[in-house]
Amino acid sequence: MRIGIDVGGTNTDAVLMEGQRVLGWTKSPTTRDVSSGITNALTALLTETQVAPDAIAAVMLGTTHFTNAVVERRSLSRTAVVRIGLPATAALPPFVDWPDDLCRAIDGASYLVHGGFEFDGRPISALDDSEIRDVARQIRDAGISCVAISGVFSPVNPEQEKHVAEIVAAEVPGARISLSHEIGRIGLLERENAAVMNACLSELAGRIVQSFRDALAGLGIRAPFYISQNDGTLMSADFVARYPVLTFASGPTNSMRGAAFLSGLKDAVVVDIGGTTSDVGVLVNGFPREASVAVRIGGVRTNFRMPDVLSFGLGGGSHVRTDPLQVGPQSVGYEITSRALVFGGADLTATDIAVAAGLADVGDRDRVRHLDRAMVEAAVQHMREMVETSIDRMKTAAGDVPVVLVGGGIILLGDRLNGASAIHRPPEAPVANAIGAAIAQVGGEVDRVFSLDAVPREQALEQARAEASGRVLAEGAVPDSVEIVDVEEIPLAYLPGNATRIRVKAVGQLALD
Amino acid sequence: MWSVTPDDLESIAIGAGILGTGGGGNPYLGQQHMARLLNQGYRATVISLDEIADDALVTEVSGMGAPTVGVEKLPRGDEPRWAVEALEQFIGRPIEALVCAEVGGVNSITPLVAGALTGKPVLDADGMGRAFPELQMSTHFFNGVPCTPAALVDEKGNRIVFAHTVDAFTLERFARDLCVAMGCIAELAMPVMTGRQVKAHSVRNTLSLAKRIGDAVRAARATKAPVVDAVLAVTGGVALFSGKLVDVQRQTRGGFARGQLVAEGSGADRGTWLHIAFQNENLVAWRGSRHTPEEVLASVPDLICVVESDSGEPITTEQLRYGLRVTVLAVPCSDKLRTPQALAVVGPAAFGYPDVPYVPLPKQPGQGID
């Protein structure tokens, strides 16, 4: 049996699963220290399902903790950046285009050294060990121990980043080092930014992972635990302590993966309606479609594997104004249980409309009987149109598509949506996030530029597939379960040799004892 | 004469994105570089063509190479200055002003960086009034300006000057091979022109046009006014089509990203489809059925711009993907691209569409591109 946990801003959800079956689930408030909220949720779950802690084989956890630390500029460590690429890249040094307050919060230092590669693997200039050692000593003398290392074209050849890391590790005692090629893709600034964010979160990650570990140990759960990444795959707890940045935006991914599992669909539109906002995303072959443009997190440009999600202001707590009719984007949020009419409050919310229209049965129905019937109908239609418009924007081809509704706010919608070929409302929809975490697989990705004049296309693809599969096995996947889930080929303009960027992603089931 | 502010840069980058017609490269990095120079106390001055003496020497400064490499191997910063210096050294005379090779995309910002680093003014003009994939596709060369001498430099300090090539096409081929050897990113200063020549041949006021487009887009966004209408008002263009991208195909041929897109109409265009062929930049737009292009709506050298319907954000041909909600605009090009000499190089036939006749988009005098 395994447990999935989703630590959200409002609620901590937990589910217990055996194979493909959901045995039980709970929702409890998220606490300030996170770990006691996890303890509360798990205690309730184990009590309700009457399962002994030692029957748990694995715990999978989704958390927004690290994203929020960057967004809120708290608990970030001082971080130094070493970029390998001189004489190139000097015009745009590290931290260029970062928000001032985040730079102050990180209070970092940046260094440029010689080295880096051309697109075809030739060196730009030779590495100089004494130059690198000198930089490492400056970092040590500045009292900084979190270090990000980036190199020009390191995704094509990571050797220089690794070499610089060895020198830094030798000179800076206790250094926590983040290498850009392990974190991001082609695009030096964006990849370096991700490495810097990773480095500045690495001390916090160590502490958080320990507190999760303590919470589980306190309940007698000795199973290994994993944390979900933004691409819907898992990393081990030790791995998270080294790569916290890969948890960014794992929330929408988990809810979409949970929706895929609960509906049994691999290709569908997922609508996750929360308390304040709704997210619409697209499942392609069981995984969220990824955004293709640079995504800013906390004001910093990144090129993460982020799900392509359209958010809009509709949720169970959305304020409803009647003249003229308007739903959201303001919301009573987590105060819905005291402020909505049906709960004895004074605010007309989307939930009140749903109850008045007979779509939902929560709170006290008598408190919304006085609402004008025509207004209620108009509001229901308006909410439905908000969802329909967003679905239509996100779908990839004309024609109706299956739609999966998840999240606590799906009571706002009836059983008909234009553009939907079928509507799925799984009973466990309120905890789709935690289920998404529980069923997450392990994954591996290759993203590289091949010259198709030098290597035939089929051979290049085969090489990329084999490497991606190898990475999945190294993560602990069951060998038979490994499959290629995404292959993307992008011909590159103005490059010789028919250069093509090939991205292959493979996933597999985690081997559980 | 005006001095470029960080705020101007923001607007120029947006306008240059629209005038890039799907290509031209992302101005983001150039904008960051330039903003940093302004922050360090450098100044970039833009002057109109009337402010340059007839016998003064002028050169274009532009980046050459693969955009995908450009986002990885960032510039050292000295390259634009070195390119101009290499040219001056070769001709033994000072260059007095710089000019954009193409106002579309990243090369709108490059001369400003060179201007800031060399202290030379940048002319409010360019050689295309848009973006094109190859350097010989310039009003300067259609009118007989020799393309050499030309200086090509890289971030390592290599400076190569082409003393003479038989034509611009040959220079393009040689320079591109060298550019690959330099790591697929190089800085180019060429040709050497007189003030008299740029006054006669350059497309006028295009840098300020880019800025005005950007200003209009930002003002519309701030007041929640329709962004597309704001762009049309400044450029004198028309909205060809609104709809959703339903198919994008790409192939690489000869180092260029070629492809076709199909958009399905919505609103007034419901029931019809738009087809666009592109080679880095958008080339030809047809209205038709789902699988068959039928009626030509616009073609090179007129500008075909694909923008995101709500935000008005220009979409480059590399960013095209299924599901995007787009409005397709057509903007009349400069009259200097409509001469027989120009059409021989940048008309539909020159891009491989001999069956597409060039029908110029109607143009209001005094509006849009010179």
Side-chain angles (χ1 to χ4, degrees):
Chain A
M1 279 179 280
R2 60 194 191 280
I3 288 175
I5 304 172
D6 176 69
V7 186
T10 313
N11 286 312
T12 296
D13 303 341
V15 296
L16 180 70
M17 294 187 68
E18 180 164 37
Q20 304 289 297
R21 279 196 310 141
V22 179
L23 301 179
W25 52 272
T26 58
K27 246 182 200 302
S28 59
T30 296
T31 55
R32 207 175 162 70
D33 68 345
V34 179
S35 61
S36 60
I38 292 175
T39 303
N40 296 341
L42 291 184
T43 306
L45 184 68
L46 294 176
T47 308
E48 184 202 298
T49 54
Q50 297 283 306
V51 165
D54 55 10
I56 308 299
V59 177
M60 284 81 164
L61 201 141
T63 176
T64 54
H65 209 89
F66 301 112
T67 322
N68 291 346
V70 171
V71 171
E72 295 165 18
R73 280 92 165 106
R74 59 173 167 78
S75 312
L76 305 177
S77 303
R78 291 186 66 202
T79 296
V81 192
V82 184
R83 183 197 286 170
I84 315 159
L86 285 180
T89 82
L92 296 159
F95 295 113
V96 72
D97 198 26
W98 277 52
D100 291 338
D101 60 339
L102 185 53
C103 285
R104 279 196 299 276
I106 289 184
D107 189 20
S110 69
Y111 305 89
L112 275 67
V113 300
H114 285 82
F117 292 103
E118 303 284 5
F119 70 97
D120 55 4
R122 282 176 290 156
I124 292 174
S125 61
L127 283 184
D128 175 351
D129 282 2
S130 65
E131 181 189 26
I132 300 162
R133 205 169 292 118
D134 184 52
V135 162
R137 287 174 185 162
Q138 288 181 51
I139 293 170
R140 182 193 60 203
D141 294 346
I144 298 176
S145 61
C146 295
V147 183
I149 297 172
S150 63
V152 175
F153 276 110
S154 63
V156 173
N157 184 344
E159 288 312 314
Q160 292 184 343
E161 283 191 2
K162 291 179 183 168
H163 182 76
V164 171
E166 281 171 22
I167 296 178
V168 170
E171 297 291 335
V172 183
R176 292 170 179 271
I177 299 173
S178 299
L179 304 182
S180 81
H181 77 269
E182 295 182 327
I183 290 165
R185 302 170 162 175
I186 297 279
L188 179 66
L189 282 182
E190 290 83 0
R191 186 174 70 250
E192 178 178 84
N193 289 346
V196 175
M197 284 194 275
N198 192 68
C200 77
L201 289 167
S202 58
E203 288 180 329
L204 175 68
R207 292 199 298 275
I208 291 287
V209 167
Q210 191 54 46
S211 78
F212 290 164
R213 212 185 290 272
D214 293 346
L216 295 178
L219 294 167
I221 298 174
R222 273 176 291 275
F225 81 94
Y226 299 85
I227 294 192
S228 53
Q229 308 186 58
N230 47 23
D231 67 347
T233 60
L234 293 169
M235 46 187 171
S236 67
D238 294 336
F239 200 81
V240 181
R242 286 169 53 209
Y243 302 103
V245 85
L246 299 181
T247 64
F248 283 14
S250 57
T253 304
N254 279 343
S255 94
M256 291 177 63
R257 292 278 298 144
F261 171 82
L262 291 171
S263 64
L265 297 173
K266 287 202 149 189
D267 297 284
V269 170
V270 177
V271 183
D272 183 346
I273 306 181
T276 302
T277 57
S278 297
D279 291 337
V280 177
V282 178
L283 284 170
V284 179
N285 202 14
F287 281 82
R289 183 174 78 204
E290 290 176 8
S292 58
V293 291
V295 181
R296 281 187 189 262
I297 295 171
V300 179
R301 252 171 95 102
T302 66
N303 58 1
F304 286 124
R305 301 163 295 185
M306 299 286 257
D308 185 11
V309 169
L310 179 67
S311 294
F312 58 99
L314 173 65
S318 294
H319 276 292
V320 178
R321 283 178 188 76
T322 52
D323 190 25
L325 181 65
Q326 192 190 334
V327 181
Q330 284 79 30
S331 165
V332 297
Y334 66 92
E335 294 178 308
I336 184 158
T337 49
S338 60
R339 288 179 60 185
L341 296 181
V342 290
F343 296 116
D347 293 284
L348 178 60
T349 66
T351 297
D352 298 315
I353 296 293
V355 172
L359 294 170
D361 187 13
V362 295
D364 182 357
R365 188 167 213 161
D366 288 340
R367 292 179 182 272
V368 291
R369 278 200 203 285
H370 67 283
L371 294 176
D372 177 58
R373 179 141 290 277
M375 183 280 292
V376 168
E377 270 171 33
V380 166
Q381 183 174 342
H382 182 72
M383 295 192 292
R384 193 179 69 218
E385 283 170 1
M386 288 172 81
V387 174
E388 285 169 348
T389 306
S390 305
I391 291 172
D392 193 49
R393 289 182 64 102
M394 292 298 285
K395 67 187 187 187
T396 55
D400 291 352
V401 289
V403 173
V404 186
L405 301 177
V406 297
I410 63 173
I411 53 169
L412 304 181
L413 296 178
D415 288 325
R416 198 171 60 81
L417 281 174
N418 283 325
S421 58
I423 297 178
H424 298 253
R425 286 172 188 267
E428 300 89 352
V431 289
N433 263 333
I435 290 171
I439 58 154
Q441 296 170 297
V442 285
E445 192 185 89
V446 170
D447 179 0
R448 190 171 314 149
V449 176
F450 288 88
S451 164
L452 297 188
D453 282 356
V455 184
R457 178 171 167 275
E458 272 314 310
Q459 195 182 323
L461 283 172
E462 191 42 50
Q463 189 185 331
R465 280 194 203 103
E467 252 176 75
S469 301
R471 288 185 189 185
V472 179
L473 290 174
E475 291 293 321
V478 178
D480 288 350
S481 72
V482 177
E483 60 173 329
I484 303 291
V485 290
D486 196 19
V487 179
E488 193 178 2
E489 290 176 75
I490 309 160
L492 303 179
Y494 290 124
L495 276 178
N498 203 1
T500 297
R501 181 170 159 186
I502 296 182
R503 243 166 75 190
V504 174
K505 188 160 125 186
V507 297
Q509 299 292 342
L510 188 66
L512 293 179
D513 301 328
Chain B
M1 180 187 296
W2 44 287
S3 197
V4 176
T5 65
D7 196 62
D8 293 341
L9 271 184
E10 188 85 33
S11 290
I12 291 171
I14 294 171
I18 303 266
L19 295 172
T21 75
N26 186 341
Y28 171 76
L29 291 172
Q31 195 188 337
Q32 289 303 317
H33 186 187
M34 189 62 210
R36 202 161 164 268
L37 291 174
L38 292 179
N39 211 19
Q40 291 170 344
Y42 288 92
R43 287 285 162 265
T45 308
V46 179
I47 61 171
S48 77
L49 285 175
D50 305 328
E51 293 174 81
I52 185 89
D54 281 350
D55 57 355
L57 296 186
V58 178
T59 190
E60 293 174 358
V61 185
S62 60
M64 185 172 203
T68 343
V69 173
V71 299
E72 187 65 32
K73 191 172 79 166
L74 306 177
R76 173 183 185 144
D78 302 309
E79 299 91 329
R81 182 169 56 84
W82 286 347
V84 175
E85 284 173 4
L87 206 54
E88 287 178 322
Q89 203 172 13
F90 182 81
I91 60 176
R93 273 185 64 185
I95 300 280
E96 286 182 39
L98 310 175
V99 65
C100 298
E102 58 180 341
V103 73
V106 62
N107 279 327
S108 58
I109 307 279
T110 313
L112 297 174
V113 171
L117 292 169
T118 58
K120 299 181 195 297
V122 178
L123 296 175
D124 186 3
D126 80 313
M128 298 182 186
R130 49 166 294 157
F132 279 125
E134 295 179 49
L135 63 79
Q136 79 272 11
M137 298 172 172
S138 160
T139 54
H140 301 143
F141 303 130
F142 305 150
N143 292 288
V145 173
C147 63
T148 45
L152 192 70
V153 308
D154 66 14
E155 83 288 351
K156 298 175 188 76
N158 297 304
R159 304 176 180 197
I160 288 159
V161 179
F162 295 86
H164 179 73
T165 59
V166 294
D167 56 24
F169 181 78
T170 307
L171 175 65
E172 156 82 25
R173 218 176 54 209
F174 289 176
R176 203 159 284 287
D177 280 357
L178 265 175
C179 176
V180 171
M182 288 173 160
C184 263
I185 285 290
E187 207 76 17
L188 189 64
M190 58 140 260
V192 178
M193 297 178 279
T194 62
R196 194 175 296 110
Q197 283 173 316
V198 287
K199 284 176 194 176
H201 306 317
S202 297
V203 184
R204 289 171 174 261
N205 305 325
T206 45
L207 210 46
S208 52
L209 175 67
K211 175 171 133 48
R212 283 192 292 127
I213 295 171
D215 287 344
V217 167
R218 294 168 69 194
R221 282 181 191 159
T223 58
K224 308 270 183 238
V227 176
V228 168
D229 292 355
V231 172
L232 295 178
V234 180
T235 58
V238 290
L240 290 183
F241 193 84
S242 287
K244 170 174 161 174
L245 293 191
V246 291
D247 192 25
V248 182
Q249 287 177 34
R250 293 191 172 86
Q251 313 91 36
T252 323
R253 284 208 309 267
F256 294 109
R258 292 168 190 265
Q260 304 82 39
L261 71 84
V262 184
E264 181 185 337
S266 59
D269 295 306
R270 191 172 293 280
T272 65
W273 282 261
L274 189 81
H275 297 248
I276 294 180
F278 56 86
Q279 173 187 325
N280 298 4
E281 285 82 23
N282 299 314
L283 301 175
V284 185
W286 297 264
R287 193 186 289 273
S289 60
R290 172 70 179 83
H291 296 287
T292 318
E294 285 155 13
E295 173 203 357
V296 175
L297 296 185
S299 78
V300 276
D302 286 328
L303 288 70
I304 300 166
C305 315
V306 180
V307 303
E308 214 264 328
S309 290
D310 284 346
S311 65
E313 196 70 43
I315 299 167
T316 66
T317 51
E318 289 184 341
Q319 291 170 332
L320 293 171
R321 65 168 172 78
Y322 301 99
L324 283 172
R325 297 301 160 129
V326 299
T327 299
V328 180
L329 317 178
V331 175
C333 68
S334 165
D335 290 336
K336 293 180 171 119
L337 296 179
R338 293 176 166 184
T339 65
Q341 302 96 301
L343 289 174
V345 186
V346 297
F351 285 98
Y353 297 91
D355 300 336
V356 173
Y358 173 59
V359 181
L361 286 171
K363 203 166 176 178
Q364 305 291 329
Q367 207 185 12
I369 304 169
D370 167 34

